[in-house]
Amino acid sequence: MRILCVIPVRGGSKGIPRKNLREIAGKPLVAWTIEQALAAADEVAPEHELRVIVSTDDTELADIARRYGAEVPFMRPAHLAEDTTATEPVIEHAIEYVSDNGWAPDAVMLLQATSPVRLPGTLARAVHQFVENGKDSMVGVIPMGPFVWTWHADGEPTAEFDVMNRPRRQELTKETFRYRENGSMYITKTDVYTQHHNRLAGYPGGSIDLFMLEEVEGVDIDAPIDFSVAEHQLLQILESK
């Protein structure tokens, strides 16, 4: 299977200026995701071809991406690098570019650089699960307890679990856990993007698989404190190798 791995990074960021360039655990933030993707490409070859590209509008980010081994075959157009730009048009632009240049992918792996903590082997495991299960799309999730409440402006809050029979964590099963999408990783058949313009399969008829990430892999960098948390986890992973 041909899988296009796209790492979208913009030069601008309102919350944390230039955050994709910011150093974390000794490397620019984007470098961690690039290296993880390239390691996965080696692990799944030769059975599957995983091509790693960075889509960016920023020349400094492009230089860093190339330095760490990713392809930067184009510079992202300005209209696809605005604060309000959705991710899907960025991915479709990458699909169109590589397809027009003779390399049509069967699926796309979308990796967010702002989720830099991934354990060794995670992305290769995701590729194998996607191929084996044959679903149209797959989303990385973090298991969490079922103790979730919904607030209602015009009434009492409601629980998504039986408050009179609160389960213990060790009694939870796959069915009673809830799963939080953390934005780290998606794999999607190419035609889902071209037909539904979405990273997850369209309905009716589309199929979606859940890929279980470890709790440590759940960090998403939105605020300055998240850098400290992610750096601590990355350093721990490096020390355990």
Side-chain angles (χ1 to χ4, degrees), residues 105 195 206:
Q195 293 177 23

Side-chain angles (χ1 to χ4, degrees), residues 12-65:
S13 173
K14 282 188 173 179
I16 306 174
R18 307 290 282 166
K19 69 178 175 181
N20 289 306
L21 293 162
R22 181 169 167 177
E23 187 169 295
I24 179 171
K27 301 172 188 175
L29 177 61
V30 67
W32 288 97
T33 296
I34 291 170
E35 291 186 339
Q36 293 155 1
L38 292 173
D42 290 338
E43 291 174 59
V44 301
E47 185 180 5
H48 307 293
E49 187 177 358
L50 182 64
R51 181 178 175 183
V52 181
I53 72 170
V54 166
S55 171
T56 186
D57 62 318
D58 187 273
T59 55
E60 189 175 0
L61 275 167
D63 289 343
I64 289 172

Side-chain angles (χ1 to χ4, degrees), residues 38 141 150 153 197:
L38 292 173
V141 296
T150 300
H197 310 291

